[in-house]
Structure formats: structure tokens, C-alpha cells
Amino acid sequence: MIRNIATLLSGNALSQAVNILTILFVVTALYTPEQFGRYAVVMAYVGILSSIACLRFELAIVSVPRESAASNMTAVSLVTAACFSLLVLGMMHAASVLWGPGFLLGVSPAVIAILVFLKAGDQVFASVLYRRERYLSVSLLKLLQAAILFAGFYLAGQSGYGAMGLVISTLIAYAAFAIAGALACGLRRMLRGVRVSRMIALARRNGDFVRFSTPQTLIDNLLTNGLNFVLVGLAGPTVVGYFNFLLKTLKAPLALVFGAVSQVVFRHSAKFAGEPVKLGHELRRIARIAAAMLAVAFTTVIAIRLGFGYLAVPEEWAGLRDFLLPFAVWMLAPFLFSPFATLPVVFGRQKRFFQLATTFNLLSLAVLSLIMMHGNVATAFWIVGFASIPYFLAMNAWLLAVVDDAHAG
């Protein structure tokens, strides 16, 4: 398992370097925090909706035991994503009519619906490759996507297209990942043995993804991406720009790294669920590695904060300094738990996990909003960030206890 994680991490390193360079040297040089903040609000819609566009059936592609079942779940996921995207198109059109084009910051409902479908498709094709343990292919696809984003952001910025240029560049990058992902999976092999009757039967059999994983994922994404809506309303688009700068340069790289860890842990746990002693040992080792990585990340943020005055930061981005540490604490805390977020699926604890995670996430969002309503954004993130740490550690302890109980049983 460690070797597979290392393969993904080494492959993702270059794509993450490209993404970070894009933000540091393209976005900060060619866009204002306000423009980047407006783009971030648009992508918040996409992030929230695309996370549930497949109703989380893409997780079943990795976990089902037979290849024929995986092929049918792939078809279920793609069909569900297409239907959901059409629903999004109708919802966004209705919202723009009711509340005006400002609701979507001037972006067409069709563009948002296409982005949702493409991003969901990216998740499906990545799941197929994860199942086949083709981790290098996933890394190469992410590198391709990062390179297209870099070029697109640069050309759009030079041409003065502003936030809309960022959105169109992202659409092209998502489309490139989807097309290349479909080719890498092999359409004939990927959809071999697909039958409508089998799709319906497997969708029903994996209904827990819809009942528990989908609402939990929606709430998780509302907490993360939905904060853009809260921040733009209470603090303005400039602070949204600061927030998303750190999301892209700190949380997003770590999310891909820890997402790779989570996928490998998920696949490994599904294969060795019948050997809980071996599995528990591996999971505890992953927990120690994750904690060490987060300690290094936060130490780096502290060093940047202390030396901020010596960095060549454009004047309009100078206000970022005051938000670095509180944003970082809030963003890093969930990674204590994220490597094990798929274990409830393996051990049949989705309902309990949904209840725990939903309660905490809703409380967190409420506390953040209430404190920010009194005008103190940094304090809100300090409080909720530190409160999250014991919660995520407790969730880790619970899941490891579930693995140990499987051994005892």
C-alpha cells in the first residue's frame, strides 16, 4: 500500500508544482483578488454540485468485487452525472431569471452545467483507473490538466478577459482530463457487459451511497465551497480571493495528495477487510505519516507568515498576510482524518459516519457564519479550526476501533 501511495505522490508532485506556480506567478500578476474571488464563487457552485453529480456511485466502481459490476457502475455513474447536469441547467436558468444574472456572476447556466458534468466525468474515469491500480495514469492526467490551466490562465490574463477567462480555461482543462481519461480507460473495456437491468439492480444494491454518502458529501462541500458565498456576502470578493489563494496553494495540493492516499487506503481496505490485524497496522502507520506531513505544512505556513514582508507580493495582494494562519489551521485540520474517510463504506458504518460528520459540519458552518457576522473573519477561522482538531482525531480513533472490532468478531 505504501508503494502505491508513493507512486501517486511522486506523480502528483509535478502537477501540484504547476498549479502552485499558476497561482503564484500568473493569478497574482494578471488578476486582482476581486477577479479571482468572483471566479472562486462560480467554481464553488461547480465544486458543490459536481461532488454529488454521480450520487457517489463512482465509489462503488472501486469497491465492488467483480469487473462486470464495476463496468455497470461506471455506466450508472456517467448516466447519473448527465441527468444531474441537465437538472443543474434548469435550476441555474430558473435562478438567473428569479434573481438576475448577478446570481451567477454573469456566467451562463449552460457553462456551469457543462463544468459540473465534466468534473463528475473526471471523477468517474479516475475511479476506473484507481480500480485497475493505474496510479501513474491518474497522475499524468492531472499533470495534463494542470498544464492546460496554466496556459489558459496566462493567455486569458494577457487578453484581459478577467474572471470569465478563468472559467473558460477551467472548462477546457476539465474537458481535456475527461477525454484523455476515457481513452486511458478504454471505452470498450470500461463498458463491457453493461446492461440496463444490471445497472438498475446494482444501483439499488448500492443505495447506501445515495442515502448516506451523497448528503454527507454535499454538506462537506457546502462547508468548504459554500464558505465562498458566506465570505462574499459578509467580507466581499477580495477576502474571497485571499481565501481561495490559500485553498489553491495549500489545501488543493494537500487534497490531491491525501485524496490519493485515501483512494489507495480504500482499495487496500476493500481487498484486506478480512485481515483486520494486518489492515489495522497499516492504517496506524498511515495516520502517523499524515500527522507528520501536516506538521511540516503548518510549519511552512508559519515561516511564510513571518517572512511575508520580504516576499515580492503585489500591493493588492498584501492583505493576505492577516489571514494566512487562521485560514491554514481551518484548512489543515480535516487532513488528520481524510485518509480514512472511505473506511465507513468498507465496514458498513456509513449511516453512523453520516450522522457524526453532518452534525459537526453544520455546527461548524453555523459558528463560522455567526462570528463573521460580527465582523471578525480571522477569529472565526481560529476558533473553528482549533475545535476541529480533537473532532477529527476522535473520528480516527472510532474508525480504528471499528477495524479492531472486526478482528475481535
Side-chain angles (χ1 to χ4, degrees):
M1 181 164 63
I2 297 296
R3 179 173 60 83
N4 288 334
I5 291 174
T7 299
L8 273 176
L9 293 185
S10 59
N12 285 341
L14 187 55
S15 63
Q16 286 313 302
V18 174
N19 285 330
I20 292 172
L21 290 174
T22 300
I23 301 300
L24 292 178
F25 299 107
V26 177
V27 170
T28 57
L30 301 178
Y31 302 91
T32 66
E34 181 178 356
Q35 289 174 327
F36 191 55
R38 292 171 65 85
Y39 162 75
V41 173
V42 172
M43 294 310 298
Y45 289 117
V46 176
I48 292 169
L49 296 170
S50 65
S51 69
I52 59 169
C54 299
L55 300 181
R56 302 299 283 165
F57 283 132
E58 74 275 12
L59 291 177
I61 297 171
V62 180
S63 62
V64 292
R66 296 182 179 180
E67 289 300 322
S68 61
S71 296
N72 280 276
M73 289 311 302
T74 300
V76 169
S77 299
L78 291 173
V79 170
T80 302
C83 294
F84 188 89
S85 300
L86 290 175
L87 178 63
V88 168
L89 176 61
M91 291 169 53
M92 291 298 172
H93 180 72
S96 63
V97 171
L98 287 174
W99 296 303
F103 177 77
L104 300 179
L105 287 82
V107 177
S108 165
V111 170
I112 291 181
I114 293 170
L115 281 166
V116 168
F117 176 72
L118 289 174
K119 191 170 183 181
D122 293 352
Q123 295 166 358
V124 172
F125 298 131
S127 292
V128 174
L129 293 172
Y130 280 130
R131 177 181 179 82
R132 299 176 186 174
E133 299 185 0
R134 292 178 57 184
Y135 302 115
L136 180 59
S137 296
V138 177
S139 298
L140 291 175
L141 288 172
K142 290 177 180 177
L143 177 58
L144 170 67
Q145 189 177 63
I148 292 175
L149 278 175
F150 182 94
F153 282 15
Y154 177 78
L155 292 174
Q158 289 284 2
S159 303
Y161 287 123
M164 182 56 69
L166 294 171
V167 172
I168 298 302
S169 299
T170 304
L171 188 152
I172 295 171
Y174 284 176
F177 188 108
I179 294 170
L183 293 174
C185 293
L187 290 177
R188 183 175 298 179
R189 179 185 174 188
M190 184 174 60
L191 299 178
R192 184 181 300 161
V194 171
R195 302 288 185 274
V196 173
S197 58
R198 293 178 185 173
M199 290 169 58
I200 295 172
L202 283 165
R204 289 175 176 171
R205 192 179 305 165
N206 290 276
D208 281 356
F209 290 110
V210 181
R211 290 192 293 269
F212 305 122
S213 186
T214 296
Q216 177 212 322
T217 300
L218 176 61
I219 292 169
D220 285 347
N221 277 274
L222 281 171
L223 178 64
T224 302
N225 292 296
L227 273 176
N228 286 292
F229 307 131
V230 176
L231 284 170
V232 77
L234 299 178
T238 297
V239 174
V240 177
Y242 296 153
F243 179 71
N244 282 272
F245 175 93
L246 209 59
L247 275 180
K248 300 296 184 182
T249 57
L250 177 65
K251 186 170 184 177
L254 286 174
L256 280 180
V257 170
F258 279 84
V261 174
S262 178
Q263 287 294 338
V264 175
V265 168
F266 185 25
R267 181 61 179 159
H268 187 84
S269 300
K271 288 174 65 176
F272 296 100
E275 303 178 42
V277 175
K278 176 181 178 180
L279 181 59
H281 175 74
E282 288 289 310
L283 294 177
R284 285 176 172 82
R285 183 160 60 140
I286 294 297
R288 291 192 294 269
I289 294 173
M293 292 171 62
L294 293 177
V296 171
F298 190 63
T299 301
T300 302
V301 174
I302 292 174
I304 293 172
R305 172 64 175 80
L306 293 175
F308 197 88
Y310 299 98
L311 301 176
V313 178
E315 183 177 351
E316 59 266 28
W317 287 90
L320 173 64
R321 176 179 182 175
D322 297 331
F323 298 95
L324 272 176
L325 292 182
F327 282 172
V329 170
W330 182 86
M331 291 177 188
L332 291 176
F335 290 118
L336 290 167
F337 169 74
S338 64
F340 312 121
T342 53
L343 284 182
V345 175
V346 177
F347 290 95
R349 297 295 193 277
Q350 289 191 76
K351 182 177 181 179
R352 183 59 174 163
F353 177 48
F354 167 67
Q355 293 169 338
L356 293 170
T358 299
T359 300
F360 180 80
N361 289 335
L362 289 176
L363 287 174
S364 297
L365 184 58
V367 171
L368 273 170
S369 302
L370 287 172
I371 298 176
M372 283 193 288
M373 286 177 64
H374 291 84
N376 201 325
V377 176
T379 299
F381 280 89
W382 276 122
I383 291 173
V384 176
F386 277 118
S388 300
I389 294 174
Y391 162 75
F392 288 116
L393 291 176
M395 291 292 285
N396 284 352
W398 170 61
L399 286 175
L400 290 172
V402 168
V403 176
D404 292 339
D405 287 343
H407 168 60

